[in-house]
Amino acid sequence: MKVSVKALRLLALLCCFMSGNLVAYEHGFIHVPKNLEPLRQLLISNPRACLQEIEQPQRKAIKPKDPQGEEILSNQLAALCAYRISHTEQALDFINRAIEQATEKQYQAYLTQAYIIAGLILSGDPKQASASYHYIQLAQQSLDKLNVFPLPNMRFQLEKVLANYYQSQGKSSEAKTHLLKAKEEAYAGKSEVVRSWSENLLAEYYLTNNQPELALSHLSEVQINQRGKPSSEALLLSSIVNANIAKVYLDQGELAIAEQYQQEAIASAVKLNNPDIQAREIAALGDMAELGGDIDAALVHYLNAKDIAKANHNKPLLADIELRLGKTYMELSNYTPALVHLQIARQLFSELKLNNKLLRSLLLLGELHINNHENGLAILQLEKAEKIANTMGLTSSHSKVYKLLTQAYEQNGNYDLALEQFKVYHNLSQQYQQIRNELKREQFKQHYQYIEQAQQLSELTKEKALMIQQSNVQQLVLVLVCAFGIMLLFLYLVTRQKLLSKTTSLSQLTKQFTLHPMTGLPQLANSEIPLLCLDEAQYHPQSTRTLALLSIEYLGFSEHQTLGFQTQRNLLTCLISDLKDSLEGDYKLGHINDKQLILCIDQANTSPHQLCQQLTACAKLSATKQEIELSLAIGCCSQPFLVKAKDAIDDKGMTEVLWLALEGAQQLCAKTKQSQWVELSAMSGSHAAFFCSNITEDIKQAIAKGLVKVNASADKTLINW
């Protein structure tokens, strides 16, 4: 059990070293001409040296064959190098320069690649979400303009950047969707390295979500070419994949196997000559050694990793290793080296402005001074930690600051301040616990009350048993009955509360399902016979009514400008509201979809064609009021359709009649570019027998034979029945 807990702790520590592995552009998977290939190789092995090489004045003086194109790619490589070493501002400067150059020279492919890299640089920062998504959208639009892709794997790269963006936003399912799309793009190409990279990305996703079995299944699909001298890309992938496999086995408690794969990861990093990866993986091996109880080996690994990180000027990694060294020496009660390493870590985190890790180093320093009875120094460190914690909101570290301050003041003999700090610690702990357990608090309280009542009843039973031994059986039965009754009452109240909650939720869901969210009118889209569902609520089902089917064919501003989702919905809502206001008498109105409505209205005062004229005029006034262009098609008829046989055509048939009338009106709208209406009415001599088979075909034949009259707002000969 102890090994398992330590493994989880170590896995959390290792995850902090994986922040750059969700994408591939920054690892050198980028297409460049031959004379820039050395820089690309440096990007893979040593991004700091790559950045220095690009910024050298001698290189700037060299005139390439294609100065504009190669300068754009050089700036893109520089941006990726700066991003790899966490110089985000410098990376943005380079990529913005590349975007300006590509836009000026109209190099569409280079511009698309620059947009993807810009989205990548910002995708890991939740505060830059809008800017990152803006570049991603620009990249998507630019990709759509490219008929061919002169640079390989661009869609693969874009899908991975999208996955990284959604991962940083905490949208895990969306990130997974785009990783799967990236895999599809990778397998659509011919590159084995890119295919293997897509499998590794999915494995890292499942590792992050604590699904090691699924991660291992993807890692087993990675194919690394071992024939001949391996490429830089293959060595990089081998190092990362072996490190990920080690994490899987570490999570499963297989420490020995995990160490073997970690050694292979280090060997690949050494062959690649990438000091950053070497230091990171050696530090991870030190964590494994510490987990196995070999502290001396762990210290050796940490010190080796520290030397490499220091030589390569990797301050973030160096600070992490110094912190681990300090904590390890602290666990060994070796005060002096622990103090030295923790102070170095604190200084580095302060320079890097990593407040979260700086707070952790200050807490460890405070704890170290307390253990060494240096209470004044401990208070000094902890007061600094308090200032940082107050800017970060309520966390577990926040409460730990006051816990350690309490210990320091108590050891120092200042019991008043110790009590004051303990009160703050106690309040913060309670608030933190309340946030985490808010949903469980009431259940725990009720359970505690139940146990307390049961204990009280048990004590009363024992007292009565001592006083009256002869009635002990009766008392026991009474206690059991009382306890059972309390339990039943408790279960009844809990069940009733859940039932009420579910009933409320069901009512809300039913309302959302049956009413259109835009207008609150009945939603008939899921009904096989919309007219039947609308007719159920009609007040006078036996009276003569007018049925109308309205379809908004066009709604927009002049010159066909785009509207946007919310604007269009607002315009539709206003239009439908105006149409409703123009109607009088008993009527029912419902939605077939957002732009199609069905109307059933009493025909007491208005004929079908008068109703159509009224609705058309109202729509025109509404369009004028909203300063929009509108084309409305209306199909209408009377119900009953056949005067001599009122029940001959049912609601399903009437729906077909209405739809035919609407289609005729839509044809007129398409040809005249104006609002039109069509009315179908059966002649008085029409017999029910003629409409007894396929109602659609019967109506068409009846129109041809003159048994059904067509009345329209335009030339009805334009309708092709």
Side-chain angles (χ1 to χ4, degrees):
M1 188 66 170
K2 290 182 179 179
V3 174
S4 177
V5 172
K6 288 184 177 179
L8 290 173
R9 171 189 168 206
L10 182 54
L11 185 59
L13 289 172
L14 292 176
C15 287
C16 70
F17 290 108
M18 291 178 55
S19 60
N21 290 347
L22 271 178
V23 280
Y25 261 159
E26 75 276 26
H27 288 303
F29 287 43
I30 183 170
H31 184 74
V32 294
K34 278 188 178 181
N35 55 331
L36 290 181
E37 181 62 21
L39 289 178
R40 190 184 75 85
Q41 293 295 328
L42 268 179
L43 170 61
I44 298 174
S45 60
N46 195 333
R48 285 179 176 79
C50 174
L51 190 59
Q52 292 173 0
E53 180 72 18
I54 292 174
E55 292 180 325
Q56 281 182 359
Q58 302 95 306
R59 182 168 188 86
K60 293 180 181 179
I62 300 174
K63 294 183 178 180
K65 295 180 181 178
D66 179 14
Q68 289 85 10
E70 293 193 12
E71 188 176 0
I72 295 170
L73 289 173
S74 295
N75 283 323
Q76 291 183 7
L77 287 171
L80 292 171
C81 291
Y83 173 71
R84 282 281 305 279
I85 60 177
S86 302
H87 292 178
T88 306
E89 294 297 328
Q90 190 178 13
L92 287 174
D93 288 340
F94 278 113
I95 202 59
N96 286 332
R97 201 178 304 164
I99 290 172
E100 290 175 4
Q101 293 167 345
T103 303
E104 181 182 353
K105 300 300 179 182
Q106 296 183 348
Y107 287 179
Q108 194 66 34
Y110 291 162
L111 179 61
T112 304
Q113 186 165 268
Y115 283 147
I116 297 174
I117 295 172
L120 161 68
I121 293 169
L122 297 170
S123 62
D125 186 358
K127 297 179 181 178
Q128 298 285 348
S130 59
S132 175
Y133 195 67
H134 171 68
Y135 283 118
I136 291 171
Q137 285 183 315
L138 289 175
Q140 288 174 324
Q141 294 169 5
S142 186
L143 266 178
D144 292 337
K145 295 178 183 177
L146 290 173
N147 296 322
V148 294
F149 300 134
L151 304 179
N153 306 314
M154 297 183 78
R155 289 199 180 278
F156 168 72
Q157 300 288 355
L158 180 58
E159 293 296 339
K160 290 192 286 80
V161 173
L162 275 165
N164 199 28
Y165 165 78
Y166 282 114
Q167 193 79 9
S168 70
Q169 297 298 306
K171 299 178 179 179
S172 182
S173 59
E174 288 88 345
K176 179 183 176 182
T177 300
H178 287 286
L179 285 176
L180 291 172
K181 289 181 181 179
K183 180 180 176 180
E184 291 178 8
E185 294 291 340
Y187 277 83
K190 298 179 180 179
S191 173
E192 287 292 337
V193 175
V194 175
R195 291 180 182 181
S196 298
W197 196 268
S198 68
E199 298 287 357
N200 180 68
L201 292 173
L202 280 165
E204 289 180 351
Y205 168 83
Y206 287 118
L207 274 175
T208 305
N209 289 277
N210 297 320
Q211 295 174 290
E213 293 81 7
L214 290 173
L216 190 58
S217 68
H218 285 284
L219 291 170
S220 63
E221 296 294 327
V222 174
Q223 301 291 331
I224 300 175
N225 187 6
Q226 302 291 347
R227 292 175 296 179
K229 184 179 179 181
S231 64
S232 299
E233 291 89 345
L235 288 171
L236 172 67
L237 188 60
S238 174
S239 178
I240 293 175
V241 168
N242 282 314
N244 285 334
I245 295 174
K247 291 174 179 64
V248 173
Y249 283 109
L250 185 63
D251 182 72
Q252 296 176 347
E254 300 286 349
L255 184 59
I257 301 176
E259 287 181 332
Q260 291 176 7
Y261 279 103
Q262 193 65 30
Q263 292 282 10
E264 292 181 15
I266 295 170
S268 296
V270 171
K271 291 179 183 177
L272 179 63
N273 196 25
N274 187 315
D276 287 341
I277 298 180
Q278 288 180 45
R280 185 181 70 204
E281 303 306 343
I282 291 172
L285 185 63
D287 289 329
M288 294 180 186
E290 184 179 0
L291 183 64
D294 193 348
I295 303 299
D296 292 336
L299 288 173
V300 170
H301 293 315
Y302 287 148
L303 291 170
N304 287 337
K306 172 190 169 183
D307 292 340
I308 297 171
K310 187 175 182 180
N312 200 43
H313 308 289
N314 190 338
K315 284 188 177 182
L317 182 56
L318 178 62
D320 282 327
I321 296 170
E322 292 285 2
L323 187 69
R324 292 178 181 212
L325 279 165
K327 190 173 182 181
T328 303
Y329 280 117
M330 188 174 165
E331 291 174 355
L332 292 172
S333 300
N334 197 338
Y335 172 77
T336 302
L339 178 63
V340 171
H341 290 295
L342 288 176
Q343 285 180 335
I344 294 173
R346 180 199 60 188
Q347 181 64 30
L348 290 172
F349 286 138
S350 178
E351 292 175 4
L352 296 168
K353 297 181 180 179
L354 299 174
N355 286 343
N356 191 29
K357 294 182 178 181
L358 175 60
L359 174 60
R360 190 178 172 200
S361 65
L362 289 170
L363 288 174
L364 288 173
L365 278 168
E367 189 174 351
L368 177 67
H369 288 309
I370 290 172
N371 293 340
N372 203 46
H373 302 290
E374 297 173 340
N375 301 308
L377 293 174
I379 292 169
L380 182 64
Q381 301 294 343
L382 292 172
E383 285 177 346
K384 295 177 183 178
E386 181 184 11
K387 292 180 181 178
I388 297 173
N390 288 335
T391 66
M392 297 174 61
L394 186 59
T395 62
S396 57
S397 298
H398 200 171
S399 60
K400 189 175 180 181
V401 171
Y402 294 101
K403 180 182 179 182
L404 292 174
L405 279 170
T406 300
Q407 295 178 11
Y409 283 124
E410 186 178 6
Q411 287 187 11
N412 208 25
N414 198 336
Y415 298 109
D416 291 337
L417 280 175
L419 180 59
E420 182 180 339
Q421 298 300 323
F422 179 77
K423 288 179 180 178
V424 177
Y425 160 70
H426 182 69
N427 289 335
L428 287 176
S429 297
Q430 282 188 330
Q431 292 176 25
Y432 184 68
Q433 194 67 21
Q434 184 178 3
I435 292 172
R436 296 185 60 188
N437 301 322
E438 187 174 351
L439 296 177
K440 298 181 180 179
R441 188 180 299 276
E442 283 301 320
Q443 293 179 355
F444 175 78
K445 185 178 179 181
Q446 291 174 358
H447 183 64
Y448 178 78
Q449 290 175 348
Y450 170 75
I451 293 174
E452 189 177 34
Q453 290 172 358
Q455 289 176 345
Q456 291 174 356
L457 288 172
S458 178
E459 291 174 1
L460 289 172
T461 303
K462 290 179 181 179
E463 291 177 3
K464 286 187 177 182
L466 292 173
M467 294 171 62
I468 311 171
Q469 294 181 357
Q470 295 179 355
S471 61
N472 57 358
V473 175
Q474 296 176 355
Q475 293 293 334
L476 180 60
V477 172
L478 179 61
V479 171
L480 291 175
V481 169
C482 291
F484 185 68
I486 292 171
M487 184 179 65
L488 286 177
L489 179 61
F490 175 74
L491 290 174
Y492 167 74
L493 292 174
V494 171
T495 306
R496 182 175 178 274
Q497 184 64 31
K498 289 182 178 179
L499 183 60
L500 289 173
S501 176
K502 289 182 178 179
T503 303
T504 303
S505 299
L506 181 61
S507 176
Q508 292 174 350
L509 288 173
T510 303
K511 185 177 179 181
Q512 292 175 5
F513 182 76
T514 56
L515 297 180
H516 196 278
M518 189 168 62
T519 61
L521 295 174
Q523 174 69 278
L524 309 175
N526 297 312
S527 172
E528 185 177 356
I529 310 175
L531 186 57
L532 179 62
C533 293
L534 187 68
D535 198 37
E536 288 177 354
Q538 190 67 14
Y539 294 110
H540 307 293
Q542 299 302 323
S543 63
T544 302
R545 294 164 294 178
T546 296
L547 305 179
L549 193 57
L550 292 76
S551 176
I552 300 170
E553 298 299 299
Y554 176 74
L555 178 71
F557 296 123
S558 59
E559 300 180 359
H560 297 278
Q561 297 177 5
T562 55
L563 293 178
F565 175 74
Q566 191 59 47
T567 303
Q568 187 177 67
R569 296 196 78 173
N570 292 339
L571 293 175
L572 284 171
T573 303
C574 291
L575 173 61
I576 294 170
S577 177
D578 291 341
L579 291 175
K580 286 170 60 180
D581 291 341
S582 69
L583 297 173
E584 297 178 356
D586 294 338
Y587 71 89
K588 283 293 175 180
L589 187 63
H591 278 271
I592 302 297
N593 56 43
D594 284 354
K595 293 187 177 182
Q596 288 186 341
L597 298 96
I598 188 168
L599 171 65
C600 183
I601 187 169
D602 189 7
Q603 205 181 94
N605 301 316
T606 308
S607 63
H609 73 271
Q610 289 175 334
L611 175 64
C612 291
Q613 291 172 349
Q614 175 186 334
L615 292 173
T616 304
C618 176
K620 185 176 180 180
L621 287 173
S622 180
T624 304
K625 181 176 68 174
Q626 298 185 67
E627 298 181 352
I628 59 173
E629 293 182 358
L630 172 66
S631 178
L632 178 67
I634 305 175
C636 71
C637 65
S638 295
Q639 189 186 29
F641 189 67
L642 301 175
V643 178
K644 294 181 179 181
K646 296 184 178 181
D647 298 329
I649 301 178
D650 59 8
D651 287 326
K652 186 173 183 180
M654 290 304 300
T655 303
E656 292 293 334
V657 175
L658 268 179
W659 196 264
L660 278 174
L662 175 64
E663 288 182 332
Q666 287 174 329
Q667 289 186 27
L668 293 178
C669 285
K671 293 175 180 178
T672 63
K673 308 300 182 182
Q674 293 179 356
S675 298
Q676 302 292 348
W677 57 266
V678 171
E679 175 196 0
L680 297 180
S681 59
M683 302 298 291
S684 59
S686 301
H687 296 285
F690 191 82
F691 304 94
C692 60
S693 56
N694 186 330
I695 188 66
T696 303
E697 295 300 324
D698 292 343
I699 292 293
K700 290 181 180 181
Q701 291 179 18
I703 293 171
K705 293 179 179 181
L707 297 177
V708 171
K709 179 182 177 182
V710 178
N711 190 14
S713 57
D715 186 1
K716 57 188 176 185
T717 60
L718 296 175
I719 302 173
N720 182 11
W721 295 106

